Amino acid sequence: MQDYQQQFIQLALTHHALRFGEFTLKSGRVSPYFFNAGQFHTGNALAQLGHCYAAALVASGIEFDMLFGPAYKGIPLVSSIAIALARDFGRDVPWCFNRKEAKDHGEGGSLVGAPLQGKVVIVDDVITAGTAIGEVMQIFASHPQANASAILIGLDRQERGQTGDLSAAQTVSQRFHLPVLSVLGLNELISFLQQADDQPAVLAAIQHYRTQYGTR
């Protein structure tokens, strides 16, 4: 496990973004863990989160020219990642995000930030049904000077969808022919719990859940 993954888990636990228990998901499944990136709502938490994302992106070796954050959760993420790339990795890259509704006054348009162009990494917290990514790809279709190079998320549950054997991330990757990167996957979370060896019941519950719903 990488240092940034350890940092991500500790950060998520500290801010209660990662919780253990029984949580009913939209799918109806009862999950032994739950992740909510909205809990990273302080300056220090966001700074550390941006570093974890930036470290994962750099470690991936993916080539990119800029970052794009889908509204709404993608907005603070893309900002913090851009700051972390400049501060911690010496890469000063442009970024932008979209508005949910186009602005018809002032500068107008539906995009805020740098012009959307070059090789672009799309950043978000998680992938569920892939709806948000589909909306982003429609934006890219109207900006031919931009090409999506990858999708970067915080947590990949590595969990099969309601139909088929693919996870949400795998489905999106296959649909849009893009690599989906994550700061952390379920496998790394299990490794962390195994090393910590202080929550055997939680570990057992998550391992059982992976046996039921995990991807191959």
Side-chain angles (χ1 to χ4, degrees), residues 37-134:
Q39 291 296 112
F40 299 115
H41 48 52
T42 70
N44 184 54
L46 197 57
Q48 293 185 64
L49 183 64
H51 172 83
C52 293
Y53 268 82
L57 180 54
V58 170
S60 73
I62 289 288
E63 294 184 6
F64 65 98
D65 301 311
M66 71 174 296
L67 308 173
F68 180 88
Y72 289 104
K73 285 186 177 178
I75 297 174
L77 284 175
V78 75
S79 308
S80 63
I81 297 167
I83 291 170
L85 284 169
R87 180 192 62 215
D88 303 330
F89 298 96
R91 289 210 54 180
D92 188 21
V93 299
W95 57 275
C96 75
F97 62 86
N98 65 301
R99 294 186 175 98
K100 285 291 188 179
E101 297 180 0
K103 188 177 180 181
D104 59 5
H105 59 281
E107 73 275 20
S110 61
L111 299 182
V112 179
L116 189 58
Q117 59 189 10
K119 298 175 181 178
V120 187
V121 172
I122 302 163
V123 299
D124 214 339
D125 56 344
V126 295
I127 290 178
T128 50
T131 304
I133 300 300

Side-chain angles (χ1 to χ4, degrees), residues 1 5-6 8-25 30-36 39 155 157 184-186 188-194 196-207 209:
M1 185 182 301
Q5 293 174 321
Q6 294 265 10
F8 182 82
I9 296 174
Q10 294 289 3
L11 181 68
L13 291 173
T14 298
H15 291 273
H16 307 292
L18 177 63
R19 293 185 291 152
F20 304 121
E22 291 189 356
F23 306 92
T24 301
L25 307 179
V30 179
S31 172
Y33 72 101
F34 188 73
F35 178 72
N36 177 15
Q39 291 296 112
L155 176 68
R157 292 182 61 94
L184 188 77
L186 179 59
E188 287 79 29
L189 176 57
I190 289 175
S191 294
F192 174 86
L193 292 170
Q194 288 172 329
D197 195 28
D198 60 355
Q199 299 192 70
V202 169
L203 175 60
I206 292 178
Q207 287 176 321
Y209 189 80

